[in-house]
Amino acid sequence: MKLSLILILLSGASAFIAPKGARQSSLRRSSAVESESFTKPERVIMDDLPAVFVYDHCPFCVRVRLALGLKNIKHKVNFMANDDIPTPTKLVGKKIAPIFALPLDNLVMGESLDIIKLVDSDARFGPVELFKPATGRADIKAWQKSVQVLLRTLQRPRYVATGLLPEFQQLDGRHAFIKNHQLPPYQKPEWKGNEENPEGMNMDEKLKLYAEAMAQDPAPLIEELNAKLVELDDIVFSEYYCSEGGLSYDDIDLWSRLRSITIVKGVQWPAKLRSYMDNLSALGDVPLYDQMAL
């Protein structure tokens, strides 16, 4: 792995249906965008745009961005630095993401699924219930659990090593992430601290472990990941949605988690699963990481 990447880590130790009484002049329309199995509603553009406050890498933030994109709702995207505590605290009282702001209603709220349910039940944002309910598929949940350690090992060092994600543009943001996100095999208490060891692991040791993770040969881990993606490809229903019946909350969650895999260079995607990633990226207007993969 290039030394420059390690130094980055270590440096510095639908159609709109107006509700009764609403003024349609506050919106503009554009043509729907079609795909083989999903048609985006007509464009919804409010004079005072809704906004999201997010981290680019965060799958819960991606859920909201994907949903707004699929519903074709124009919105502002505000990327917060990973060490920015004042901005989210001022908005909702604590450091969390995503945060959704709707100026027309003087509304600010958190929790990704609550945000999506609000938007998908309000006719001002186009057709309601565009997303089918979650199916509760145990096979997908089991797959996600089976790759948790593997993905943390591959993805977390790459988030900060690219130097390109907006929340990690500055050293303090990168160090804030490293400070709070353990690498396997360490568990959160021994990394961040607990009652017995309030300070947790020394920051210099954390930086060293992240640098070592980037420096090691990723080939064995990528080979393992490639095999796991073949398993997932077998249980994804189609290249447009993962569960039979159409686009659902299953996709909102699964795609948002899979997106981060594209930051890992050398991954071999099965054909159907790769098409699934590309299709929802285009329809949801949320780019993948292929061009910056490490």
Side-chain angles (χ1 to χ4, degrees):
M1 184 59 59
K2 293 181 179 179
L3 179 61
S4 60
L5 299 178
I6 298 175
L7 291 177
I8 288 175
L9 294 172
L10 297 178
S11 177
S14 87
F16 176 75
I17 304 172
K20 284 188 176 181
R23 296 190 307 166
Q24 293 196 35
S25 61
S26 66
L27 301 168
R28 297 185 293 279
R29 298 168 180 251
S30 64
S31 299
V33 179
E34 294 187 1
S35 73
E36 178 182 331
S37 298
F38 178 77
T39 301
K40 290 179 71 167
E42 292 184 359
R43 187 72 156 160
V44 174
I45 308 178
M46 296 180 170
D47 284 342
D48 205 348
L49 295 178
V52 294
F53 296 79
V54 295
Y55 307 125
D56 190 79
H57 76 280
C58 167
F60 307 108
C61 299
V62 175
R63 284 176 176 174
V64 175
R65 294 172 60 196
L66 177 64
L68 292 175
L70 291 169
K71 287 184 70 69
N72 213 5
I73 301 166
K74 186 172 179 61
H75 58 285
K76 298 177 182 178
V77 180
N78 300 290
F79 292 109
M80 299 183 290
N82 200 252
D83 65 318
D84 181 356
I85 297 175
T87 297
T89 301
K90 182 178 179 180
L91 289 167
V92 294
K94 57 183 177 179
K95 185 183 185 296
I96 62 169
I99 298 169
F100 179 70
L102 182 59
L104 287 177
D105 292 353
N106 195 28
L107 171 70
V108 180
M109 64 182 295
E111 298 298 334
S112 61
L113 295 181
D114 290 343
I115 295 167
I116 297 168
K117 289 175 182 177
L118 173 74
V119 171
D120 202 30
S121 63
D122 188 333
R124 291 177 297 172
F125 295 109
V128 299
E129 298 183 356
L130 184 68
F131 309 122
K132 298 181 183 302
T135 63
R137 287 183 58 181
D139 55 349
I140 290 180
K141 292 298 182 183
W143 184 89
Q144 290 175 339
K145 185 175 181 179
S146 75
V147 297
Q148 185 180 70
V149 170
L150 177 62
L151 295 185
R152 284 179 178 177
T153 304
L154 286 169
Q155 291 169 180
R156 286 182 173 180
R158 285 164 173 77
Y159 290 150
V160 291
T162 64
L164 296 174
L165 300 190
E167 58 265 41
F168 302 131
Q169 286 291 303
Q170 295 179 303
L171 183 66
D172 287 343
R174 298 193 289 274
H175 280 196
F177 182 85
I178 293 171
K179 178 181 179 181
N180 293 315
H181 292 81
Q182 74 274 12
L183 289 177
Y186 298 97
Q187 299 298 315
K188 185 177 292 186
E190 57 186 324
W191 190 274
K192 294 185 65 175
N194 53 26
E195 293 183 0
E196 297 178 359
N197 179 23
E199 297 299 322
M201 185 182 295
N202 180 277
M203 187 62 185
D204 287 339
E205 181 66 18
K206 294 177 183 179
L207 292 169
K208 178 184 176 183
L209 290 169
Y210 263 73
E212 289 174 349
M214 280 304 301
Q216 71 179 8
D217 180 6
L221 296 178
I222 292 175
E223 183 178 358
E224 181 182 350
L225 177 56
N226 289 340
K228 297 299 295 186
L229 290 175
V230 171
E231 292 180 13
L232 181 62
D233 188 72
D234 288 340
I235 61 176
V236 164
F237 182 76
S238 79
E239 60 188 24
Y240 292 99
Y241 40 87
C242 65
S243 298
E244 187 173 4
L247 197 70
S248 71
Y249 278 86
D250 291 358
D251 298 292
I252 296 296
D253 182 67
L254 178 64
W255 189 91
S256 299
R257 295 176 186 273
L258 294 178
R259 174 180 179 252
S260 286
I261 296 176
T262 62
I263 205 168
V264 183
K265 189 174 183 179
V267 172
Q268 297 177 4
W269 292 83
K272 181 176 59 178
L273 194 57
R274 181 70 228 198
S275 294
Y276 175 77
M277 298 303 298
D278 292 337
N279 288 337
L280 290 192
S281 173
L283 288 165
D285 195 19
V286 180
L288 301 172
Y289 290 135
D290 298 281
Q291 298 305 313
M292 65 175 76
L294 297 174

